[in-house]
Amino acid sequence: MTYEEYLSGKKLVLTVATTGGVHGKDANPNLPEQPEEIARQVAECERLGAAIVHVHGRDEHGENDASRLQAVNDAIRERCDDIVIQNTTGGQATLPERIQGIRTDPHPEMASLDLGPFKRDQHIITEHTRHNIEQLAIEMQDKGIKPELECFNSGQLQEAKRLIDEGFLDPPYYINIIFGGQVFTPPHPRHVQALVDTLPEDSEFNILATGRHQLPLTLFATILGGHVRIGMEDNLYYERGTQAESNQQLVRRTVDIVDNMGRDLATPDEAREMLGMN
């Protein structure tokens, strides 16, 4: 997680987040929503070099629906070779809904773990109490599911350190630092550097930047020896004024960036090894 690691040729883990739980086809008609539609794009992204897929489920109307995670997981396994499935346990739903992300059959190898609440719209604060976070962390640890620790701001990095100190997490720790939006960490390279400099020992970091910040902060994370998450959950545009045609279009551009910067992409098995999932 340093410039020296970049220079040494450390491999980069690429995660693709094909669809989220907020915007839908009304925002970009190319956004996949249904299981087969999602799985087709995931298979292409895996072929291009994505090692991990971050998964949301949607109902037949395109609304966020955790009960559809099983169907999406099944479709991905049917179409893909070996990509690591990372189910969401985040969003604005209640704990009983969110916990379905780690109760699929089989359970996913990874799952996101939001480390605190954030505001959405005018009247919503996501329900990520300390009790809920610990319950999810305990079940993930019991099942051998690797948590992706989602830090929406610098204060939540302290929550990651608390969970480590109290034994809820096993090393190496995979910390996803989120930039952009109205309530996340302000998207700027200096903020990336500041948070990377304060990560716990035995950590791997991933950068998630929304909208127009996805491209420049992806490049910066590559230089710092980190990993990246891209995809249409976080960014609906390929360039200013031009909507993304697909998730694979965004993945292809990221693969080119990583290649041009002299780094190799980790395969799914290499990602498992790097993140302590073997």
Side-chain angles (χ1 to χ4, degrees), residues 16-28 30-34 38 41-42 53-59 61-66 68-69 72 86-88 90-92 112 120 150 208 229-236 247:
V16 60
T18 58
T19 188
V22 182
H23 48 248
K25 289 184 179 294
D26 55 330
N28 183 328
N30 301 316
L31 181 83
E33 292 181 343
Q34 300 309 309
I38 293 169
Q41 290 205 20
V42 173
V53 57
H54 177 73
V55 182
H56 283 258
R58 293 173 178 257
D59 66 18
H61 306 295
E63 298 296 323
N64 193 47
D65 184 354
R68 297 293 294 278
L69 284 167
V72 180
Q86 179 197 100
N87 282 344
T88 183
Q92 61 198 50
S112 61
R120 177 166 283 162
E150 304 237 328
L208 184 172
R229 167 176 144 176
I230 55 92
M232 294 179 71
E233 174 178 351
D234 310 317
N235 174 32
L236 293 170
N247 281 282

Side-chain angles (χ1 to χ4, degrees), residues 146-204:
K146 188 68 176 183
E148 181 201 58
L149 305 172
E150 304 237 328
C151 291
F152 293 94
N153 55 57
S154 58
Q156 291 177 10
L157 189 55
Q158 297 304 114
E159 185 70 3
K161 294 176 180 178
R162 182 190 72 82
L163 291 172
I164 291 168
D165 290 342
E166 296 184 13
F168 290 103
L169 304 173
D170 300 315
Y173 315 110
Y174 195 48
I175 299 179
N176 184 31
I177 313 173
I178 300 163
F179 297 86
Q182 296 180 338
V183 294
F184 305 150
T185 304
H188 194 283
R190 64 171 169 263
H191 296 142
V192 176
Q193 185 70 66
L195 290 181
V196 169
D197 287 344
T198 60
L199 289 174
E201 291 185 11
D202 297 321
S203 294
E204 294 284 346

Side-chain angles (χ1 to χ4, degrees), residues 2-3 6 12 14 179 188-189 192-193 205-209 212-230 250 253-263:
T2 64
Y3 181 57
Y6 157 69
L12 181 146
L14 175 59
F179 297 86
H188 194 283
V192 176
Q193 185 70 66
F205 80 91
N206 183 82
I207 296 299
L208 184 172
R212 62 179 180 168
H213 306 291
Q214 189 172 84
L215 183 59
L217 295 194
T218 290
L219 175 60
F220 194 53
T222 302
I223 295 171
L224 288 181
H227 312 288
V228 297
R229 167 176 144 176
I230 55 92
L250 298 174
R253 177 171 66 183
T254 304
V255 170
D256 287 343
I257 290 171
V258 173
D259 183 59
N260 288 334
M261 293 304 299
R263 288 187 70 181

Side-chain angles (χ1 to χ4, degrees), residues 1 7 30 42 52 69 82 98 106 111 121 126 195 197 247 277:
M1 60 183 184
L7 293 174
N30 301 316
V42 173
I52 299 172
L69 284 167
D82 194 35
R98 291 190 286 110
D121 300 325
T126 58
L195 290 181
D197 287 344
N247 281 282
M277 295 162 57

